[in-house]
Amino acid sequence: MIRRVVRLLLAVVMVASAAVAVTVTTASTAQADGCYTWGRTLSQGATGEDVRQLQIRVSGYPEYGEELAIDGEYGPLTAAAVTRFQEAYGLPADGVAGPRTFDQIYALQDDDCTPIHFTYSELNDCNSDWSGGAVSASTAQANALVNMWKLEAMRHALGDAPINVSSGFRSYDCNSAAGGSSTSRHLYGDAVDLTGSHSLCTLVQRARYHGFSEILGPGYSGHDDHAHLAHDPSPYWSAPSCGI
Ligand code: ZN
């Protein structure tokens, strides 16, 4: 009897999941058309804005401990990142970005080119126009977009459980109010503080696979209650309580 109930429950869950999957795919494909559409297959040797747009989307799939350059040039490191992205989503992994790869990206992005699980407003806890930081508003926003795609990759690798962003871009005023360092990467828009359903150590350890070069967490001064992930020209990891 119990076994039959379990089997029945499983069947219900499977039908429900299938219905959700169909809905999500349909909605996302439509939304993606309003964002960015690739017009050709891309492979090593290609250059251009379409390559740069692709690099933003696969920036969360660099080599361990590295960052992918977003320079519009499809070299071996970009091909390797595309291969890891394809593997992560069960696609044929050949490092060539064609229709199936682009369809997967379309399914993962919203109308404003942010990945479906993160938003610009979530990454800006200061003001609505991204001004007042260490870089121009447009640069701060562009940096935040790259970070969102890195977070989307990390979220997927951690089993698709939610990741909560507790702080992102800060103007100088906002950074002072938050007690941030005067050289904080939050002023550039390329830092995020995380809390959420994973342990902080899981977050800081996993972040090293997804293109974050500045990682601070438990055991590092002021970081016992969140994980800080950022791009940093001088890479630095420290979370002594997590063995980093
Ligand atoms: Zn931080």
Side-chain angles (χ1 to χ4, degrees):
M1 177 59 187
I2 288 174
R3 198 174 291 172
R4 189 175 304 164
V5 170
V6 168
R7 216 178 309 162
L8 184 64
L9 276 175
L10 274 176
V12 169
V13 167
M14 280 161 66
V15 168
S17 316
V20 168
V22 167
T23 310
V24 167
T25 305
T26 309
S28 301
T29 304
Q31 286 171 334
D33 293 336
C35 169
Y36 187 83
T37 304
W38 282 269
R40 59 171 179 162
T41 291
L42 299 173
S43 58
Q44 281 200 57
T47 61
E49 175 62 14
D50 50 2
V51 175
R52 202 183 71 85
Q53 290 289 334
L54 173 66
Q55 288 170 326
I56 292 170
R57 308 309 194 279
V58 298
S59 60
Y61 293 90
E63 284 185 34
Y64 175 83
E66 300 291 335
E67 283 190 88
L68 182 67
I70 297 171
D71 57 6
E73 296 182 11
Y74 203 121
L77 295 177
T78 298
V82 168
T83 299
R84 287 187 203 95
F85 173 84
Q86 292 167 331
E87 286 168 350
Y89 287 98
L91 301 173
D94 58 5
V96 174
R100 289 187 67 180
T101 299
F102 295 135
D103 279 347
Q104 183 61 58
I105 292 174
Y106 295 147
L108 284 174
Q109 71 183 4
D110 284 324
D111 211 13
D112 60 358
C113 284
T114 60
I116 48 178
H117 297 106
F118 299 92
T119 63
Y120 279 120
S121 60
E122 193 179 2
L123 266 75
N124 182 345
D125 46 4
C126 281
N127 55 29
S128 58
D129 66 2
W130 300 80
S131 64
V135 290
S136 71
S138 60
T139 298
Q141 200 168 0
N143 288 342
L145 179 63
V146 174
N147 259 5
M148 281 188 259
W149 281 99
K150 291 178 179 179
L151 289 175
E152 186 71 28
M154 189 164 121
R155 186 186 190 281
H156 185 57
L158 289 173
D160 297 309
I163 289 176
N164 177 50
V165 179
S166 57
S167 184
F169 167 75
R170 299 175 192 156
S171 64
Y172 278 103
D173 286 348
C174 177
N175 189 56
S176 300
S181 145
S182 61
T183 58
S184 169
R185 295 306 302 184
H186 289 283
L187 295 162
Y188 296 78
D190 56 17
V192 288
D193 291 343
L194 306 181
T195 57
S197 53
H198 304 285
S199 81
L200 298 179
C201 287
T202 296
L203 292 172
V204 296
Q205 284 159 350
R206 191 65 218 176
R208 297 180 293 179
Y209 290 89
H210 299 289
F212 292 102
S213 49
E214 180 179 271
I215 302 171
L216 304 173
Y220 182 86
S221 176
H223 289 71
D224 283 339
D225 62 354
H226 67 279
H228 166 100
L229 312 182
H231 158 76
D232 192 328
S234 311
Y236 184 68
W237 299 346
S238 181
S241 304
C242 306
I244 293 175

